Amino acid sequence: MLAGAAGIAGGVLLGGAFAASPAAAAVTPPRVYTRAEWGARPATGSIRYLDRQPDHVVVHHTAGANTTDYSLAAAFRHSKWIQDLHMDQNGWIDSGQQLTISRGGYLMEGRQLSLRAITERQHVSGAQTANHNDHTIGIENEGIYVSATPPAALFNSLVRTCAWLCDVYSLDPFEAIVGHRDYVATQCPGDVFYARLPELRQRVAAQLGA
């Protein structure tokens, strides 16, 4: 069962889409480091670029080490590690997720054409949520959060990123933001991170002026 909706004060539901309060300013897009900047390999197959919008944002953790190197260089290395894992071990054509956030809070493009799709209010089908890739956009958060707490820089970046996506796609954060385990039998995004999704939704709604 997906995380339940909550009452929304100051926002309006329009045909299932969320509109922030008229007085709210548009969300400023975060800085996204592109695939070219972090040195991505090209996809080995055709990317499915869909003429539609995603209706859910799926929060993941990468289940990698909880590094204390919060640098941009470490973030780029992590994006390469994810892509190598997904392509060389999983046999996928590219990184499975659309976006990645490092423990230092850096936001990076994942699957090829993901940033273009977001700016065009369309969607690139990934490989991050089995049987739900055509309607969900996935964010990989560096680290493992079964018992550890996400760094503040990472969580704050996730708030800004989800606010941006909800603004672009007119999504209600109380309905749209879910954890990987809401769709698939998995530990992801970790018990501690999953328990903070209500806080994430509330903070995103506040940024949207709801």
Side-chain angles (χ1 to χ4, degrees):
M1 180 177 180
L2 293 179
I8 303 169
V12 183
L13 283 170
L14 299 173
F18 178 79
S21 301
V27 173
T28 301
R31 170 67 160 99
V32 184
Y33 290 89
T34 65
R35 290 167 57 89
E37 289 177 301
W38 62 260
R41 297 156 59 182
T44 58
S46 298
I47 298 296
R48 296 183 61 233
Y49 194 91
L50 307 177
D51 185 15
R52 70 180 72 169
Q53 298 188 3
D55 56 22
H56 283 84
V57 178
V58 182
V59 176
H60 300 262
H61 67 181
T62 65
N66 288 346
T67 180
T68 55
D69 185 348
Y70 296 155
S71 68
L72 181 60
F76 286 2
R77 287 195 299 271
H78 193 69
S79 278
K80 292 179 182 178
W81 175 79
I82 293 172
Q83 187 182 43
D84 289 346
L85 176 70
H86 288 180
M87 295 179 74
D88 300 337
Q89 294 191 33
N90 293 1
W92 299 345
I93 63 171
D94 197 0
S95 299
Q97 79 290 352
Q98 286 82 4
L99 297 167
T100 306
I101 300 176
S102 75
R103 282 174 57 83
Y106 294 106
L107 174 63
M108 293 158 287
E109 181 181 23
R111 177 157 287 215
Q112 191 170 306
L113 299 178
S114 291
L115 185 55
R116 172 186 159 185
I118 295 169
T119 59
E120 294 180 351
R121 291 180 169 82
Q122 295 186 327
H123 183 48
V124 164
S125 182
Q128 42 85 29
T129 303
N131 302 314
H132 294 279
N133 289 305
D134 284 358
H135 72 98
T136 65
I137 185 166
I139 305 173
E140 290 273 14
N141 295 276
E142 180 186 10
I144 185 166
Y145 301 104
V146 176
S147 57
T149 299
L154 185 155
F155 198 82
N156 291 339
S157 181
L158 180 62
V159 171
R160 291 191 296 271
T161 301
C162 288
W164 170 51
L165 294 175
C166 286
D167 184 53
V168 167
Y169 294 120
S170 298
L171 298 176
D172 170 6
F174 295 103
E175 289 280 2
I177 299 171
V178 299
H180 189 190
R181 66 175 65 178
D182 287 316
Y183 282 120
V184 179
T186 176
Q187 193 177 58
C188 182
D191 293 344
V192 174
F193 213 140
Y194 189 77
R196 294 190 67 183
L197 294 188
E199 175 192 349
L200 174 63
R201 298 180 188 109
Q202 291 284 354
R203 288 182 59 183
V204 169
Q207 288 212 4
L208 293 171

